[in-house]
Amino acid sequence: MMSRRNNTNVPDFILMGLTDSEEIQLALFIIFLLIHLITVLGNVGMILIIRLDPQLHTAMYFFLTHLSFIDLSYSTVIIPKTLANLLTSNYISFRGCFTQMFFFVFLGAAECFLLSSMAYDRYVAICCPLHYPVTMSKRLCHTLVTGPYMIGFIDSFVNVVCMSRLHFCESNVVHHFFCDTSPILALSCTDTYDIEIMIYILAGFTLMASLITISASYMSILSAILKINSTSGKQKAFSTCASHLLGVTIFYGTMIFTYLKPRKSYSLGRDQVASVFYTIVIPMLNPLIYSLRNKEVKNALIRVMQRREYSK
């Protein structure tokens, strides 16, 4: 990354947040704090249940463990600074801003491709059930998890290197509640066309490549389910992927709405609402979606609690 003095006359940024009203800021602080606590408890709880119950040591729950880890990290990158800004200073250093941006893009891209890996896992489970234990070997599972992290790191590294070439000469006011690419691009006093195209290509590749994989998996799953004769068999097959499909729909809907559009169509209010949803709300919803709709997780929780009672 280029040095700060060569790139900008701005020593730090001011995050404008979501509102100027002190009453609304206090209300948002309480709401976001509760959401963050639920997010931490839900995702840590999901990880612990999967780790402690041997019956959940399968490929699907291995992926779910990493999804919970990413959601927990995702929330931690955004919410603590947002909470601090709602009550105290809304300043963030130049390096702090780009560090937040790096981890935000890294975790977001990693989650996209992890959801693709989870879709492939469901495809094998439903379309090739007899070969599932052999196909979804421990080696393949680790590859399908390591890949998303590596792609996310490369995506984020290139993104931050491109953004670090920008020059900020005048305003340091970021019209957002965290350091996202669109509002930072809007502050640059130099031509951002090439950088904007590069970032658009990266975002487009991340979203569309992972979404195509997920779509192909679910088209095959749907075809296999329709060939099942019994209604109960269809319901059982669909229930194994319903939670993942719901999580994918919510996540990709907001991400595509926010990022696959040119900077000129950036709307402060509309994009902030979408950003709140996928950075703050979705990490809270995922453990609820995958646990409340999943009998195996509920039964595992009961078994873990019973073992604790017996050990006393």
Side-chain angles (χ1 to χ4, degrees), residues 241-257:
C241 57
S243 297
H244 179 258
L245 186 59
L246 178 60
V248 165
T249 302
I250 296 173
F251 181 77
Y252 277 89
T254 53
M255 292 289 278
I256 290 174
F257 172 81

PDB file of all heavy atoms in Angstrom, residues 241-257:
ATOM      1  N   CYS A 241     -32.229 -28.768   2.559  1.00  0.00           N
ATOM      2  CA  CYS A 241     -31.555 -27.612   1.960  1.00  0.00           C
ATOM      3  C   CYS A 241     -32.351 -26.319   2.100  1.00  0.00           C
ATOM      4  O   CYS A 241     -31.920 -25.279   1.603  1.00  0.00           O
ATOM      5  CB  CYS A 241     -31.251 -27.870   0.487  1.00  0.00           C
ATOM      6  SG  CYS A 241     -32.699 -28.278  -0.504  1.00  0.00           S
ATOM      7  N   ALA A 242     -33.522 -26.383   2.771  1.00  0.00           N
ATOM      8  CA  ALA A 242     -34.375 -25.193   2.893  1.00  0.00           C
ATOM      9  C   ALA A 242     -33.680 -24.073   3.650  1.00  0.00           C
ATOM     10  O   ALA A 242     -33.754 -22.900   3.257  1.00  0.00           O
ATOM     11  CB  ALA A 242     -35.688 -25.570   3.583  1.00  0.00           C
ATOM     12  N   SER A 243     -32.997 -24.404   4.744  1.00  0.00           N
ATOM     13  CA  SER A 243     -32.323 -23.382   5.557  1.00  0.00           C
ATOM     14  C   SER A 243     -31.233 -22.686   4.761  1.00  0.00           C
ATOM     15  O   SER A 243     -31.105 -21.458   4.792  1.00  0.00           O
ATOM     16  CB  SER A 243     -31.735 -24.016   6.828  1.00  0.00           C
ATOM     17  OG  SER A 243     -32.749 -24.558   7.646  1.00  0.00           O
ATOM     18  N   HIS A 244     -30.437 -23.490   4.052  1.00  0.00           N
ATOM     19  CA  HIS A 244     -29.352 -22.914   3.246  1.00  0.00           C
ATOM     20  C   HIS A 244     -29.901 -22.037   2.133  1.00  0.00           C
ATOM     21  O   HIS A 244     -29.383 -20.943   1.869  1.00  0.00           O
ATOM     22  CB  HIS A 244     -28.499 -24.037   2.652  1.00  0.00           C
ATOM     23  CG  HIS A 244     -27.384 -23.550   1.787  1.00  0.00           C
ATOM     24  ND1 HIS A 244     -27.445 -23.577   0.402  1.00  0.00           N
ATOM     25  CD2 HIS A 244     -26.185 -22.987   2.086  1.00  0.00           C
ATOM     26  CE1 HIS A 244     -26.336 -23.074  -0.099  1.00  0.00           C
ATOM     27  NE2 HIS A 244     -25.548 -22.715   0.896  1.00  0.00           N
ATOM     28  N   LEU A 245     -30.985 -22.474   1.499  1.00  0.00           N
ATOM     29  CA  LEU A 245     -31.582 -21.710   0.417  1.00  0.00           C
ATOM     30  C   LEU A 245     -32.124 -20.376   0.911  1.00  0.00           C
ATOM     31  O   LEU A 245     -31.974 -19.339   0.248  1.00  0.00           O
ATOM     32  CB  LEU A 245     -32.705 -22.518  -0.237  1.00  0.00           C
ATOM     33  CG  LEU A 245     -33.363 -21.922  -1.480  1.00  0.00           C
ATOM     34  CD1 LEU A 245     -32.324 -21.688  -2.574  1.00  0.00           C
ATOM     35  CD2 LEU A 245     -34.469 -22.843  -1.984  1.00  0.00           C
ATOM     36  N   LEU A 246     -32.722 -20.375   2.101  1.00  0.00           N
ATOM     37  CA  LEU A 246     -33.229 -19.133   2.695  1.00  0.00           C
ATOM     38  C   LEU A 246     -32.083 -18.180   3.009  1.00  0.00           C
ATOM     39  O   LEU A 246     -32.152 -16.977   2.706  1.00  0.00           O
ATOM     40  CB  LEU A 246     -34.022 -19.452   3.961  1.00  0.00           C
ATOM     41  CG  LEU A 246     -34.595 -18.247   4.734  1.00  0.00           C
ATOM     42  CD1 LEU A 246     -35.544 -17.451   3.859  1.00  0.00           C
ATOM     43  CD2 LEU A 246     -35.298 -18.724   6.007  1.00  0.00           C
ATOM     44  N   GLY A 247     -31.010 -18.704   3.609  1.00  0.00           N
ATOM     45  CA  GLY A 247     -29.853 -17.868   3.931  1.00  0.00           C
ATOM     46  C   GLY A 247     -29.207 -17.290   2.688  1.00  0.00           C
ATOM     47  O   GLY A 247     -28.810 -16.117   2.664  1.00  0.00           O
ATOM     48  N   VAL A 248     -29.094 -18.088   1.627  1.00  0.00           N
ATOM     49  CA  VAL A 248     -28.510 -17.631   0.366  1.00  0.00           C
ATOM     50  C   VAL A 248     -29.344 -16.517  -0.253  1.00  0.00           C
ATOM     51  O   VAL A 248     -28.813 -15.496  -0.724  1.00  0.00           O
ATOM     52  CB  VAL A 248     -28.383 -18.811  -0.620  1.00  0.00           C
ATOM     53  CG1 VAL A 248     -28.136 -18.307  -2.040  1.00  0.00           C
ATOM     54  CG2 VAL A 248     -27.255 -19.731  -0.198  1.00  0.00           C
ATOM     55  N   THR A 249     -30.667 -16.694  -0.247  1.00  0.00           N
ATOM     56  CA  THR A 249     -31.563 -15.704  -0.847  1.00  0.00           C
ATOM     57  C   THR A 249     -31.430 -14.351  -0.164  1.00  0.00           C
ATOM     58  O   THR A 249     -31.323 -13.305  -0.822  1.00  0.00           O
ATOM     59  CB  THR A 249     -33.019 -16.183  -0.767  1.00  0.00           C
ATOM     60  OG1 THR A 249     -33.138 -17.451  -1.425  1.00  0.00           O
ATOM     61  CG2 THR A 249     -33.955 -15.181  -1.425  1.00  0.00           C
ATOM     62  N   ILE A 250     -31.411 -14.345   1.160  1.00  0.00           N
ATOM     63  CA  ILE A 250     -31.299 -13.091   1.915  1.00  0.00           C
ATOM     64  C   ILE A 250     -29.942 -12.435   1.680  1.00  0.00           C
ATOM     65  O   ILE A 250     -29.853 -11.232   1.411  1.00  0.00           O
ATOM     66  CB  ILE A 250     -31.516 -13.347   3.416  1.00  0.00           C
ATOM     67  CG1 ILE A 250     -32.956 -13.842   3.673  1.00  0.00           C
ATOM     68  CG2 ILE A 250     -31.255 -12.081   4.225  1.00  0.00           C
ATOM     69  CD1 ILE A 250     -33.192 -14.284   5.105  1.00  0.00           C
ATOM     70  N   PHE A 251     -28.882 -13.219   1.755  1.00  0.00           N
ATOM     71  CA  PHE A 251     -27.524 -12.683   1.638  1.00  0.00           C
ATOM     72  C   PHE A 251     -27.267 -12.114   0.247  1.00  0.00           C
ATOM     73  O   PHE A 251     -26.829 -10.964   0.097  1.00  0.00           O
ATOM     74  CB  PHE A 251     -26.510 -13.786   1.959  1.00  0.00           C
ATOM     75  CG  PHE A 251     -25.077 -13.335   1.898  1.00  0.00           C
ATOM     76  CD1 PHE A 251     -24.522 -12.591   2.917  1.00  0.00           C
ATOM     77  CD2 PHE A 251     -24.272 -13.680   0.817  1.00  0.00           C
ATOM     78  CE1 PHE A 251     -23.194 -12.181   2.868  1.00  0.00           C
ATOM     79  CE2 PHE A 251     -22.946 -13.281   0.757  1.00  0.00           C
ATOM     80  CZ  PHE A 251     -22.415 -12.527   1.784  1.00  0.00           C
ATOM     81  N   TYR A 252     -27.545 -12.899  -0.781  1.00  0.00           N
ATOM     82  CA  TYR A 252     -27.242 -12.458  -2.142  1.00  0.00           C
ATOM     83  C   TYR A 252     -28.172 -11.353  -2.605  1.00  0.00           C
ATOM     84  O   TYR A 252     -27.774 -10.483  -3.397  1.00  0.00           O
ATOM     85  CB  TYR A 252     -27.300 -13.634  -3.112  1.00  0.00           C
ATOM     86  CG  TYR A 252     -26.029 -14.426  -3.146  1.00  0.00           C
ATOM     87  CD1 TYR A 252     -25.835 -15.489  -2.271  1.00  0.00           C
ATOM     88  CD2 TYR A 252     -25.002 -14.106  -4.018  1.00  0.00           C
ATOM     89  CE1 TYR A 252     -24.659 -16.216  -2.277  1.00  0.00           C
ATOM     90  CE2 TYR A 252     -23.824 -14.827  -4.037  1.00  0.00           C
ATOM     91  CZ  TYR A 252     -23.657 -15.873  -3.167  1.00  0.00           C
ATOM     92  OH  TYR A 252     -22.481 -16.583  -3.157  1.00  0.00           O
ATOM     93  N   GLY A 253     -29.413 -11.364  -2.136  1.00  0.00           N
ATOM     94  CA  GLY A 253     -30.335 -10.305  -2.517  1.00  0.00           C
ATOM     95  C   GLY A 253     -29.822  -8.932  -2.145  1.00  0.00           C
ATOM     96  O   GLY A 253     -29.803  -8.005  -2.971  1.00  0.00           O
ATOM     97  N   THR A 254     -29.341  -8.788  -0.907  1.00  0.00           N
ATOM     98  CA  THR A 254     -28.840  -7.488  -0.444  1.00  0.00           C
ATOM     99  C   THR A 254     -27.476  -7.159  -1.047  1.00  0.00           C
ATOM    100  O   THR A 254     -27.192  -5.998  -1.365  1.00  0.00           O
ATOM    101  CB  THR A 254     -28.738  -7.461   1.083  1.00  0.00           C
ATOM    102  OG1 THR A 254     -27.973  -8.597   1.534  1.00  0.00           O
ATOM    103  CG2 THR A 254     -30.117  -7.520   1.728  1.00  0.00           C
ATOM    104  N   MET A 255     -26.615  -8.156  -1.223  1.00  0.00           N
ATOM    105  CA  MET A 255     -25.285  -7.904  -1.783  1.00  0.00           C
ATOM    106  C   MET A 255     -25.360  -7.443  -3.237  1.00  0.00           C
ATOM    107  O   MET A 255     -24.685  -6.490  -3.642  1.00  0.00           O
ATOM    108  CB  MET A 255     -24.430  -9.172  -1.683  1.00  0.00           C
ATOM    109  CG  MET A 255     -24.055  -9.564  -0.267  1.00  0.00           C
ATOM    110  SD  MET A 255     -22.841  -8.464   0.489  1.00  0.00           S
ATOM    111  CE  MET A 255     -21.329  -9.123  -0.177  1.00  0.00           C
ATOM    112  N   ILE A 256     -26.182  -8.110  -4.043  1.00  0.00           N
ATOM    113  CA  ILE A 256     -26.317  -7.726  -5.453  1.00  0.00           C
ATOM    114  C   ILE A 256     -26.945  -6.345  -5.558  1.00  0.00           C
ATOM    115  O   ILE A 256     -26.523  -5.507  -6.367  1.00  0.00           O
ATOM    116  CB  ILE A 256     -27.159  -8.777  -6.208  1.00  0.00           C
ATOM    117  CG1 ILE A 256     -26.366 -10.074  -6.335  1.00  0.00           C
ATOM    118  CG2 ILE A 256     -27.549  -8.262  -7.597  1.00  0.00           C
ATOM    119  CD1 ILE A 256     -27.151 -11.219  -6.936  1.00  0.00           C
ATOM    120  N   PHE A 257     -27.951  -6.079  -4.730  1.00  0.00           N
ATOM    121  CA  PHE A 257     -28.609  -4.772  -4.728  1.00  0.00           C
ATOM    122  C   PHE A 257     -27.613  -3.655  -4.415  1.00  0.00           C
ATOM    123  O   PHE A 257     -27.675  -2.557  -4.966  1.00  0.00           O
ATOM    124  CB  PHE A 257     -29.731  -4.769  -3.687  1.00  0.00           C
ATOM    125  CG  PHE A 257     -30.350  -3.412  -3.455  1.00  0.00           C
ATOM    126  CD1 PHE A 257     -31.319  -2.915  -4.312  1.00  0.00           C
ATOM    127  CD2 PHE A 257     -29.957  -2.625  -2.376  1.00  0.00           C
ATOM    128  CE1 PHE A 257     -31.886  -1.662  -4.107  1.00  0.00           C
ATOM    129  CE2 PHE A 257     -30.515  -1.373  -2.156  1.00  0.00           C
ATOM    130  CZ  PHE A 257     -31.478  -0.898  -3.025  1.00  0.00           C
TER     131      PHE A 257
END
